[in-house]
Each structure stands twice: as C-alpha cells, then as structure tokens.
Amino acid sequence: MTPDAFVAIADPHRRYLLEELRRGPKTVNELASGLPVSRPAVSQHLKVLLDAGLVSAESRGTRRVYTVSSTGFFRLNIWLDQFWDG
C-alpha cells in the first residue's frame, strides 16, 4: 500500500522540505541547513516523502539529490480538482 500523500504533507518539516525542493534539486545537507533537526531526521522525513511519491532521489557520486516528483503532485491535484467541479 502506498503511503498517504496527505499524511506525508501534514508535517510542517516535510512541507518545508517540499517548499525548498520546489526551488530546485537539493542534497540532504542543503536541506538540513534550514531545519532545527538533525540530518538523520531530515533523511527520515525525505523517506516519508519518497514513499508517498512526492519526491524522487538520484544518486550523484556519494550524494543523493532530491527533487519534487511532478507525478506525485499530479495525482494530488486530480484528487483535489474533483471538489472544484460542480
């Protein structure tokens, strides 16, 4: 079962990560610099977002670079759009 994207975005730290990634691809270290939590905690938050399909990761050497997944947000938009029709 795919984790619920709405549960994933309910956490303010994960919303912050998504807002940062909306500006462009970033590593865990770059993302952790703006949060009052440890790098391992940022990695855990990113895993939740990955599992929900809202971000994707690409290995570049020894680093993983994270980006927003447009496919994951497209599914959210389709679901939300049904409430604007009618």
Side-chain angles (χ1 to χ4, degrees), residues 42-65:
V42 171
S43 292
Q44 287 295 93
H45 285 300
L46 287 166
K47 180 168 179 0
V48 171
L49 294 170
L50 274 166
D51 291 346
L54 297 175
V55 299
S56 58
E58 176 186 326
S59 292
R60 294 187 190 163
T62 59
R63 299 179 302 160
R64 291 187 80 183
V65 178

Side-chain angles (χ1 to χ4, degrees), residues 5-55:
F6 289 105
V7 171
I9 62 175
D11 183 276
H13 292 118
R14 292 193 284 267
R15 287 195 305 271
Y16 171 84
L17 293 173
L18 289 169
E19 290 168 11
E20 286 299 306
L21 292 172
R22 185 176 56 94
R23 293 178 179 92
K26 291 188 175 44
T27 64
V28 172
N29 286 340
E30 291 170 323
L31 292 165
S33 68
L35 284 171
V37 297
S38 66
R39 276 185 279 145
V42 171
S43 292
Q44 287 295 93
H45 285 300
L46 287 166
K47 180 168 179 0
V48 171
L49 294 170
L50 274 166
D51 291 346
L54 297 175
V55 299

